[in-house]
Amino acid sequence: MSFASSPRLPSGPRRRSLLASAAGAALLVGCSGGSDSGGEGGSPSVADRARARAARDSEALAGRYAAVIAAHPGLAARLAPLREAAVRHAEAFGAEGTAAPKTSPSVSARAAGPGDGSGVVPATEKDALALLAAAERELADRRAAALLEVPGELARLLASVAAAGAAHVFLLTEGDG
């Protein structure tokens, strides 16, 4: 007896599974703690340097989100949760002072961070979303590549934040094409 297959099979991951993965990654990030440092003679270890870079990258990404929201207020509802996730990621990596104002109008339309490097927010919402997606993708790829260089707990944290970044790319590009 054979079963009839569904006439329409989804070509990629389902939205719910990506969102569930992102939620799971967020839970893992919230549970992280402790230090994987082991520097000798006062010099920072590979783990310390990777953690500091990841914190700076997440802070810069949160700044990029804030700049886009300030330049395109119509995107605020869509982008605010992603910005808040970037802030939480920075805090999980040990950043201090990342609780900047939640996308206040005083935020400049320029923000340094991952992406094209220019820091300028594109004039159209579609281009701004594409810029954020590219920044998230680049950062997730960089974090995934760093997994082999850092010890266990930091590797798990980098992996979960990279997975969340990949889910953010999906959410930013949803509806394109």
Side-chain angles (χ1 to χ4, degrees):
M1 175 169 160
S2 67
F3 292 96
S5 63
S6 173
R8 255 185 18 162
L9 293 175
S11 61
R14 298 187 62 90
R15 181 178 178 180
R16 284 188 181 141
S17 32
L18 282 173
L19 292 176
S21 297
L27 288 174
L28 288 174
V29 170
C31 295
S32 73
S35 174
D36 290 327
S37 63
E40 299 175 21
S43 65
S45 70
V46 171
D48 290 337
R49 288 189 307 270
R51 185 179 296 277
R53 179 176 182 172
R56 284 190 310 271
D57 288 344
S58 290
E59 288 177 313
L61 186 60
R64 174 66 56 100
Y65 274 106
V68 169
I69 292 168
H72 301 287
L75 294 174
R78 182 175 179 183
L79 298 181
L82 302 180
R83 180 194 175 276
E84 290 305 312
V87 168
R88 285 191 308 275
H89 295 158
E91 291 168 350
F93 287 118
E96 296 177 14
T98 56
K102 300 192 189 318
T103 65
S104 71
S106 63
V107 176
S108 168
R110 296 180 63 82
D116 71 351
S118 71
V120 176
V121 175
T124 68
E125 288 184 356
K126 181 178 179 179
D127 290 343
L129 291 173
L131 184 69
L132 287 172
E136 286 275 15
R137 184 177 295 113
E138 184 269 329
L139 193 50
D141 290 347
R142 190 169 356 124
R143 287 175 170 162
L147 292 175
L148 300 175
E149 301 170 9
V150 296
E153 184 63 27
L154 181 55
R156 287 186 288 277
L157 178 58
L158 280 171
S160 63
V161 173
H168 292 178
V169 170
F170 174 79
L171 293 172
L172 289 165
T173 58
E174 185 178 38
D176 291 352

